[in-house]
Amino acid sequence: MTGPASALPDLADGTVFGPYRINRLLGKGGMGSVYEAQHIVDGRIVALKLLSVDLDKLDSRQRFLREGRVAAIINHPNAVYIYGTEEIEGAPAISMELVPGGTLEDKVKARGPLPVDESINDIIQVIDGLDAALAAGVLHRDVKPSNCFVGLNGVVKIGDFGLSKPVDGDEQNKLTKTGLFLGTPVYSSPEQLLGETLDARSDIYAVGVTWYSLLTGELPYHSGSMMQVVAAVLNGAPAPLSSHRKDIPDNVAAVVMKAMARKADDRYQSYAEFRVAVAALLPKEATPATLWDRLRAWVVDSLVLTFVSWAVLVLVLKVFGIVKNSEAPMQVWGAVFLSFALLLTIQAIPEGLRGATLGKWLVGIRVRKIDGTLPGFARAAGRVGVFAISELVTVIAQSLLTTPNEKASVAVILDVVFRGLLFVTVRRGKGLVLLQDYLTGTRVVRPVGSIAQRRSEAHRVEAPTLNGNEPRMGPYIVLAPISAGSDVTRGWDPTMMRNVWIVPRAAGTPEVSQARRDLARLTRLRWVA
């Protein structure tokens, strides 16, 4: 397909465009369009960003392609991942991670101002993504709700690094002319509007304005023309959040307004400081413990209970000379009583007084009342009692049976039934509230203080020394095995200026699954091509 270099035509659904098949148009702006597309060979579903104006201007091309190279060094769950940049039929293109949930701007348009706690969680993720970019030496310079993308499970990712630049300054910065303002005025800091030297505090200002809009659905300055907006940012005062919404807590409003302070020295001086202030606003029970967290804690507690029970049983048998495995009624009920006493000692007492058993403490989760305070012994004992009931009913049922096989079968059936009953109170969107939580008015949560900030693994990448004779594999330069005797080879992507690992695959090896291709966890390597 061809067209005028200054105006790329819209691509219809199903169009084959270079190595991609266009699925649908995601969005369109003054500078270009973004499509959902599938790479025909690799099978990966991507967001394909195309520059559609000023294609004949070298500056526009270089700036656009530089966006991909700058953003490519950022690898963080809260930043949109860049797969590559290329020119397709004369049009510069960036292929990036597809984030299917729209943007924060879309969320506010659809739902109106967000709940305070939800906005706090969203902004913390924006901060983490920008902190990762800064760790890689990149300032964003155009933070706004439409550049914050919402992924699966509500994960927020900062993207669209079209105006970003390395903070240390290099040859690439010459693409930005001195005194030329780039950005969105109402989200830009005063120093950015004045063309002054920028640092992280400028992006912190933009995050503050973004947060303001999430909470109110409005902007802090209401003016008509661009010049009026610039004048308001430079000389005016933002409208108080209370003028738009009365239920915003004072401490939340104070953090927002400090981030938006006119003078950079009056704002938060780093993302770490900003994040601490924002995270402190979360209620202590704002993050329910996951099922995986609770399962791990339960395994640890069960092992402790089993070990202690075994030790106590051996001691009782030895001291009182009771015959082991005896089914005498007194001994059976004595074992039930002993189990309940141990449950109270090992679980109820530490949960009631400290909010955690050994297992919960190791995993980092805690038991709290709905108001966030410690449950106390009575509620903790009630939680234990829910489990004890299952054992009590099992013993009663077994006492009515005669053969060992019948007793074993009943024990297994009742155990499965009671474990299943614990989940009858679980509701979508209400957190993981199990039966013992519901009956005792408690919750199992991960306290804010135990949520570690996700650190970025991004770093400045130094290009390897090349002599021009290195072998190539596709677009990559092959360097050397990662270790002696390894088939895996270090490689260099000269377009995206980043390191890669090249893993050889034998003929007939099954294709990499779609789930593996789209994997975005920081603890796993990304599949690029």
Side-chain angles (χ1 to χ4, degrees):
M1 112 179 270
T2 60
S6 60
L8 183 72
D10 290 338
L11 302 177
D13 296 354
T15 299
V16 174
F17 185 62
Y20 298 97
R21 177 177 288 106
I22 302 299
N23 290 342
R24 62 190 176 103
L25 177 68
L26 296 175
K28 189 174 182 180
M31 294 296 291
S33 305
V34 181
Y35 295 88
E36 178 186 311
Q38 182 173 16
H39 196 286
I40 297 172
V41 177
D42 292 342
R44 186 196 300 280
I45 304 295
V46 302
L48 189 66
K49 183 176 181 179
L50 303 176
L51 180 66
S52 59
V53 297
D54 294 330
L55 296 188
D56 292 324
K57 293 184 178 180
L58 181 61
D59 250 21
S60 297
R61 285 175 176 269
Q62 289 179 325
R63 189 187 304 281
F64 184 82
L65 295 175
R66 179 175 65 90
E67 171 188 350
R69 290 194 294 270
V70 169
I73 62 177
I74 304 168
N75 180 18
H76 191 274
N78 296 121
V80 175
Y81 190 75
I82 303 296
Y83 295 118
T85 63
E86 54 192 316
E87 288 203 25
I88 305 174
E89 300 185 14
I94 299 175
S95 60
M96 63 188 75
E97 175 184 3
L98 178 65
V99 189
T103 66
L104 290 183
E105 182 179 59
D106 297 332
K107 185 194 285 192
V108 174
K109 284 182 178 179
R111 296 170 45 192
L114 302 184
V116 173
D117 290 352
E118 183 177 348
S119 76
I120 293 172
N121 278 304
D122 287 349
I123 288 299
I124 286 177
Q125 294 179 79
V126 172
I127 293 171
D128 285 349
L130 291 171
D131 196 16
L134 189 64
V138 176
L139 286 177
H140 193 285
R141 300 200 301 170
D142 196 23
V143 179
K144 54 187 177 182
S146 60
N147 285 342
C148 301
F149 300 87
V150 182
L152 298 175
N153 302 319
V155 175
V156 179
K157 298 172 179 280
I158 185 71
D160 204 341
F161 285 80
L163 302 182
S164 61
K165 75 180 188 70
V167 294
D168 58 349
D170 57 22
E171 195 66 23
Q172 296 182 92
N173 294 342
K174 295 179 181 178
L175 294 174
T176 301
K177 298 177 182 178
T178 302
L180 177 64
F181 169 73
L182 294 170
T184 307
V186 74
Y187 291 97
S188 300
S189 66
E191 61 268 28
Q192 185 171 357
L193 293 176
L194 293 172
E196 298 175 355
T197 301
L198 305 181
D199 57 29
R201 295 173 298 179
S202 179
D203 280 352
I204 287 174
Y205 177 95
V207 175
V209 181
T210 296
W211 193 3
Y212 186 108
S213 69
L214 297 186
L215 287 168
T216 65
E218 303 286 345
L219 294 171
Y221 303 101
H222 292 283
S223 299
S225 68
M226 176 177 172
M227 293 305 298
Q228 289 175 316
V229 171
V230 171
V233 173
L234 293 177
N235 303 308
L241 282 87
S242 58
S243 64
H244 302 293
R245 183 175 171 184
K246 302 298 184 183
D247 65 333
I248 297 176
D250 291 341
N251 57 347
V252 173
V255 175
V256 176
M257 300 308 285
K258 181 173 181 177
M260 293 172 51
R262 187 182 304 169
K263 295 182 179 179
D265 289 343
D266 294 335
R267 300 175 205 145
Y268 296 101
Q269 299 300 293
S270 67
Y271 287 122
E273 181 187 357
F274 189 19
R275 192 187 196 282
V276 168
V278 177
L281 301 173
L282 285 170
K284 296 301 181 183
E285 60 175 9
T287 308
T290 65
L291 181 60
W292 174 238
D293 286 339
R294 298 186 71 162
L295 177 62
R296 289 186 294 156
W298 175 80
V299 169
V300 173
D301 290 335
S302 297
L303 291 174
V304 171
L305 182 63
T306 300
F307 177 78
V308 174
S309 299
W310 177 82
V312 172
L313 180 61
V314 170
L315 179 62
V316 170
L317 293 174
K318 184 174 182 180
V319 172
F320 295 99
I322 301 174
V323 179
K324 189 176 181 181
N325 297 327
S326 171
E327 295 186 4
M330 288 300 295
Q331 292 188 33
V332 171
W333 286 105
V336 172
F337 175 80
L338 179 61
S339 296
F340 185 66
L342 289 175
L343 279 171
L344 290 177
T345 303
I346 296 173
Q347 293 193 354
I349 292 177
E351 274 192 4
L353 301 181
R354 301 297 298 272
T357 59
L358 177 62
K360 291 183 175 66
W361 178 79
L362 290 174
V363 172
I365 58 178
R366 302 291 184 265
V367 178
R368 295 287 187 266
K369 290 195 297 185
I370 295 177
D371 62 6
T373 59
L374 291 172
F377 179 74
R379 291 177 187 270
R383 292 173 57 85
V384 169
V386 173
F387 289 98
I389 287 174
S390 65
E391 188 169 347
L392 180 62
V393 172
T394 299
V395 170
I396 293 174
Q398 287 179 319
S399 67
L400 302 176
L401 302 172
T402 56
T403 67
N405 288 339
E406 289 177 335
K407 294 182 178 183
S409 299
V410 166
V412 171
I413 293 172
L414 290 178
D415 188 62
V416 171
V417 169
F418 275 103
R419 292 292 182 266
L421 287 175
L422 296 179
F423 291 86
V424 297
T425 55
V426 174
R427 295 291 185 272
R428 183 183 297 273
K430 298 296 184 181
L432 192 63
V433 180
L434 300 186
L435 182 61
Q436 66 270 29
D437 307 325
Y438 178 79
L439 294 177
T440 59
T442 58
R443 299 291 184 268
V444 181
V445 299
R446 181 176 288 279
V448 172
S450 67
I451 302 176
Q453 180 176 358
R454 288 188 286 188
R455 298 292 182 183
S456 168
E457 295 299 324
H459 57 278
R460 299 171 190 264
V461 179
E462 298 293 337
T465 302
L466 304 173
N467 58 28
N469 297 319
E470 291 82 7
R472 282 180 172 262
M473 184 174 292
Y476 308 114
I477 296 173
V478 179
L479 298 177
I482 61 173
S483 61
S486 175
D487 291 334
V488 180
T489 305
R490 290 190 302 111
W492 175 252
D493 185 341
T495 302
M496 305 309 297
M497 303 290 287
R498 62 185 173 193
N499 295 302
V500 296
W501 282 1
I502 300 172
V503 183
R505 301 172 61 206
T509 303
E511 290 291 329
V512 176
S513 69
Q514 190 66 48
R516 179 66 187 92
R517 299 175 193 217
D518 296 333
L519 191 64
R521 296 201 304 271
L522 193 58
T523 54
R524 294 291 298 274
L525 296 176
R526 287 185 183 263
W527 189 88
V528 179

